[in-house]
Amino acid sequence: MIPVVKSLSVERAVTPSADKFLVGKPTQEEAEAAVRTLILWAGDDPSREGLAETPQRVAKAYKELYKGYGEDPHAILDRVFEEVDGYQDMVLVRDIPFYSHCEHHMVPFVGKAHIGYYPSQGVVGLSKLARVVDLYARRLQTQEAMTAQIADVIEEALKPRGIAVLIEAEHMCMSMRGVQKQGSSTMTTQYRGLFRDDPAEQVRFFTMVKSAGL
Ligand SMILES: [Zn+2]
């Protein structure tokens, strides 16, 4: 007899967390039972040898794939370095790889993020920008929302004179299902401050993103 989750008990206490998305978190057993249900839904037998441990592995993998819910982006960007010897020009971190899941089908979308900003009060460690991308990628996402969220949190933390975020990604929900258009990519941008106000700054950012690498 395969246990199947009927519904999550409504009386369960809301998990205390700083993250507003985390409500009524199921137990490990409930998560594993849900995976068995989906294996059955796909048409396979969750009790056969190769799949017997799969629910346990999937539940564990989810903790990593979706760990962005348990992290605070503001904590990543809390250290601002003000001593930059008068550096005022654009800081650009490009080709930050990420792996996310679309919130409509829970299928991966994979790509690169590019972040440029003009500092005002200081700069952050360059690796912190990559960590912010990773945090938002490890949630159920749309590419559009993720682009805006990255721009928002950097804007709040750094108060830069301008910020530009460009994300390009391939969506498996377009490649593997639906229209099955393999190789198509989606590009989203957010321009704030002087990037929004001055199209020449958008061109400069885009040219630097697309220029030949080292
Ligand atoms: Zn999708």
Side-chain angles (χ1 to χ4, degrees), residues 102 104-105 173 177:
C102 85
H104 302 128
H105 306 95
C173 61
R177 56 161 295 286

Side-chain angles (χ1 to χ4, degrees), residues 165-183:
V165 180
L166 168 65
I167 294 182
E168 39 193 344
E170 182 176 355
H171 290 250
M172 296 305 143
C173 61
M174 268 182 81
S175 315
M176 295 171 62
R177 56 161 295 286
V179 292
Q180 300 192 349
K181 293 294 178 223
Q182 207 182 340

